[in-house]
Amino acid sequence: MSEPVVVTAYFHPLPGKHDAVVEALHPAIAAVHAEPGCQLYAIHRAPDDTVVMIEKWSSEEYLDVHGSGGAVATLNENLEGLLARPVEVTRLRPIPSGTPEQGQL
């Protein structure tokens, strides 16, 4: 298996749809927390109402399985008509620095 991977996903709600986007994400979060390899799957609100998801997976392989799984498919269905543009997903590789506890996710 590969090393852990961190992912960011940016959800840009249509005007007035922030709360609906968050509600669409809640069931997916609960389901994904139970998936093998999921170490972190959390959402945050940016000042412009963008919903930012930060994920951490124990390997690329687990992330790939997640990406083609039922929770993501259902989430995509639940988000239809709520987003101003497609979700922006980025896979990140750590560059450890400083202490092991504070220098990487």
Side-chain angles (χ1 to χ4, degrees):
M1 293 247 169
S2 63
E3 295 182 2
V5 60
V6 172
V7 176
T8 59
Y10 288 80
F11 300 82
H12 301 277
L14 287 167
K17 297 296 184 182
H18 176 271
D19 291 345
V21 169
V22 170
E23 287 304 312
L25 288 166
H26 282 303
I29 292 168
V32 172
H33 282 173
E35 291 182 8
C38 179
Q39 296 179 350
L40 177 70
Y41 201 77
I43 57 175
H44 302 78
R45 184 179 198 154
D48 67 353
D49 280 345
T50 297
V51 178
V52 181
M53 180 175 286
I54 301 173
E55 309 174 30
K56 184 175 182 183
W57 294 87
S58 60
S59 71
E60 290 258 357
E61 292 83 3
Y62 281 126
L63 176 57
D64 290 340
V65 169
H66 158 72
S68 62
V72 171
T74 299
L75 175 60
N76 289 335
E77 290 173 16
N78 292 343
L79 288 170
E80 283 187 35
L82 300 177
L83 300 176
R85 58 183 185 244
V87 179
E88 299 166 22
V89 178
T90 304
R91 292 183 181 206
L92 305 170
R93 296 260 186 265
I95 303 173
S97 182
T99 69
E101 296 82 20
Q102 296 170 305
Q104 66 182 6
L105 282 178

